[in-house]
Amino acid sequence: MSDYLEKIKSAEEVAWINPEKIPAEEGLARIEFSEADIDDAAARLERFAPLIEKMFPETAPDRGIIESPLTEISAMKEQLNKDGADLEGRLFLKRDSDLKVSGSVKARGGIYEVLKHSEELAFESGLLKGWDDDYTRLASDEAREFFGKYKIQVGSTGNLGMSIGIMSAALGYNAIVHMSMDAKQWKKDLLRQRGATVIEYEGDYGAAVEQGRAESDADPMSYFVDDENSSALFLGYAVAAKRIQAQFREQGIVVDEDHPLFVYIPCGVGGAPGGVTFGMKVVFGDNAHCFFVEPTQCPCMIVGLETGKMSDICVQDIGLTGITEADGLAVGRPSGLVSRFMQLFLSGEFTVADDKQNPYLRQLWKNEGIYIEPSACATFIGPARMCSSEEGRKYLADNGLVDKMAGATHVVWATGGSMVPQEIREKLLNE
Ligand SMILES: *Cc1c(COP(=O)(O)O)cnc(C)c1O
């Protein structure tokens, strides 16, 4: 067993560099998705924008495009450096925590998949005649009655269920969300209030997905959102790279050979961070260095990649519990689809102990006045260790980046938080 696996087995915090990464261009030539697929997804989101604006008036300022701010967090950078990070360059927060409609990164992939499925049904039935038709008709009583004959189901630790549940119920579907034991009560309550059916499980995420899939497969009127293998989810997430490219331009941020980009994203099953990473490679090529973050008890992506067994191994197989406070990351087995791609594109990973989440949460609140949920806070271990850990420094040296770091841009992906109820926020901030 490799040294890394020994450390991972004993739930130590590790910095792991992916030995199998290859140049972006070579990797992109090997996989079945391309930039055209991202553009297709982005165009679909444009077609649906008038409908989204009509159904969710809070999206009106962006004309129905669901997108989040990119905010520089220099006080947080100073805080990390006071604690020994040695971080050079500028530090930004990509605030998917503030995405409209469902308050997490899942508002990208999850909502996209529901819309894609709805477009297919609408074309088949004649409810929509073509791409230039008026999509706001899908908010009519007639359309709601039509979608009401169908079910959409999903297994979730929380946030994916929120995205799928809120969007499907709003369109009139029977939305059924199979929730694992990790799912927070407030997420279940909110979903029920929006008209979704929530089924609770004693088991973990894998069990919720398995049950959801079985129930959906047995019903011809039901569509299952398959977080472990869905290409629609993956492409919905990937659109983020095009959007952040535009934000970089607006803010005068340069990414090129002399100005490397570091992206740190928390990983559960891998769909969200994998889709974003794929998009980053398409847009920025080898100038984008993407790192995942996983809890020490639940590092399913590292285990899959380091053993080469991908989705054929889970964290329990090597003696870890899979249990973490970071509900969004409580996934013991990585996506087969995504781990295959990440082997080619991912720079590395950092694991983080649960007891670091709340200190980061409070530091971000104190320094920047921004609240994000614990699963998202875990990600600060990335910039904290990129330049200060032995493995991180070796990565910079091996990639010729050491003298370019003053011009680097670091982006921490804040994957969720704006919908956390006030009393729970206060509890976490005062703990
Ligand atoms: C879902 C989620 C992630 C990880 O996404 P996966 O697609 O499961 O890898 C990270 N953070 C939050 C807050 C999430 O909800």
Side-chain angles (χ1 to χ4, degrees):
M1 188 172 289
S2 73
D3 284 357
Y4 270 113
L5 275 183
E6 283 301 337
K7 282 194 205 165
I8 288 165
K9 260 181 92 156
S10 53
E12 263 179 64
E13 285 188 343
V14 299
W16 176 82
I17 302 302
N18 178 13
E20 317 242 3
K21 182 175 81 109
I22 58 176
E25 209 178 321
E26 275 174 47
L28 291 169
R30 273 205 216 168
I31 71 170
E32 60 266 42
F33 297 116
S34 71
E35 181 161 22
D37 296 306
I38 303 181
D39 291 339
D40 175 62
R44 186 164 287 107
L45 291 169
E46 292 280 345
R47 294 199 287 279
F48 272 98
L51 175 70
I52 297 290
E53 181 174 349
K54 186 167 182 186
M55 291 171 66
F56 300 96
E58 71 267 32
T59 64
D62 295 315
R63 295 173 6 268
I65 292 293
I66 301 171
E67 193 42 70
S68 75
L70 176 71
T71 305
E72 184 160 22
I73 48 170
S74 24
M76 188 65 185
K77 179 191 159 193
E78 262 174 57
Q79 173 78 55
L80 292 172
N81 279 343
K82 247 187 261 166
D83 298 335
D86 284 333
L87 193 68
E88 280 186 276
R90 295 170 74 185
L91 181 64
F92 291 82
L93 194 67
K94 182 58 180 151
R95 297 168 69 180
D96 279 5
S97 43
D98 288 351
L99 283 175
K100 299 284 174 11
V101 182
S102 71
S104 83
V105 67
K106 306 299 192 312
R108 298 184 183 280
I111 289 177
Y112 175 71
E113 180 153 359
V114 173
L115 297 179
K116 182 165 188 288
H117 176 63
S118 303
E119 190 182 56
E120 279 158 18
L121 289 180
F123 284 160
E124 271 167 32
S125 69
L127 207 54
L128 285 179
K129 306 276 180 262
W131 285 1
D132 51 2
D133 206 344
D134 175 10
Y135 279 46
T136 62
R137 274 221 307 276
L138 299 186
S140 65
D141 289 344
E142 182 202 355
R144 288 188 56 83
E145 203 176 300
F146 169 74
F147 289 130
K149 293 183 290 189
Y150 294 90
K151 285 180 191 158
I152 292 187
Q153 309 200 45
V154 65
S156 173
T157 62
N159 286 340
L160 183 64
M162 295 242 285
S163 276
I164 303 289
I166 291 171
M167 193 67 219
S168 313
L171 282 165
Y173 289 99
N174 279 307
I176 305 174
V177 182
H178 302 263
M179 288 279 213
S180 63
M181 64 180 175
D182 317 280
K184 306 288 184 218
Q185 188 61 42
W186 68 266
K187 294 182 181 176
K188 300 177 194 165
D189 296 343
L190 190 144
L191 268 175
R192 288 184 171 125
Q193 190 201 320
R194 296 293 184 95
T197 302
V198 177
I199 303 178
E200 300 175 58
Y201 293 87
E202 293 293 326
D204 69 358
Y205 167 82
V209 171
E210 208 176 303
Q211 279 293 331
R213 183 185 285 122
E215 276 186 37
S216 187
D217 287 352
D219 180 348
M221 297 300 277
S222 178
Y223 178 83
F224 184 67
V225 176
D226 184 354
D227 200 9
E228 292 173 329
N229 294 294
S230 164
S231 53
L233 276 177
F234 185 77
L235 293 171
Y237 292 125
V239 172
K242 296 264 170 172
R243 304 266 183 84
I244 207 172
Q245 181 183 34
Q247 289 179 318
F248 283 162
R249 284 201 191 115
E250 277 161 27
Q251 300 190 26
I253 298 161
V254 175
V255 178
D256 62 20
E257 214 166 293
D258 294 317
H259 301 84
L261 169 66
F262 292 79
V263 184
Y264 309 95
I265 326 177
C267 176
V269 72
V276 170
T277 295
F278 163 62
M280 292 292 171
K281 288 289 161 183
V282 164
V283 173
F284 301 107
D286 291 322
N287 299 322
H289 305 270
C290 300
F291 290 85
F292 287 0
V293 170
E294 296 187 280
T296 48
Q297 284 292 350
C298 215
C300 67
M301 188 60 76
I302 302 190
V303 171
L305 291 177
E306 176 69 15
T307 59
K309 292 191 180 164
M310 310 304 189
S311 57
D312 292 332
I313 190 166
C314 68
V315 299
Q316 287 82 2
D317 290 340
I318 64 162
L320 293 170
T321 63
I323 294 172
T324 168
E325 257 309 296
D327 55 338
L329 316 182
V331 179
R333 187 185 299 277
S335 154
L337 178 83
V338 175
S339 47
R340 186 158 55 81
F341 300 158
M342 290 308 103
Q343 185 176 31
L344 310 172
F345 299 132
L346 192 64
S347 290
E349 288 215 25
F350 299 92
T351 61
V352 60
D354 267 26
D355 62 8
K356 292 237 172 77
Q357 293 159 19
N358 268 16
Y360 286 140
L361 185 146
R362 284 193 296 269
Q363 283 176 355
L364 186 67
W365 176 251
K366 194 182 87 204
N367 286 294
E368 306 284 351
I370 297 173
Y371 183 89
I372 61 178
E373 63 185 87
S375 298
C377 293
T379 318
F380 279 102
I381 194 80
R385 300 203 62 206
M386 187 68 235
C387 305
S388 63
S389 63
E390 198 184 311
E391 295 85 350
R393 284 203 305 268
K394 183 167 184 310
Y395 178 87
L396 299 180
D398 289 349
N399 288 276
L401 296 167
V402 175
D403 54 0
K404 296 176 180 167
M405 293 307 284
T409 299
H410 302 268
V411 175
V412 169
W413 217 277
T415 44
S418 62
M419 293 179 93
V420 178
Q422 193 58 31
E423 66 273 17
I424 293 173
R425 286 185 188 212
E426 277 165 20
K427 193 169 154 269
L428 288 171
L429 285 169
N430 296 325
E431 233 164 45

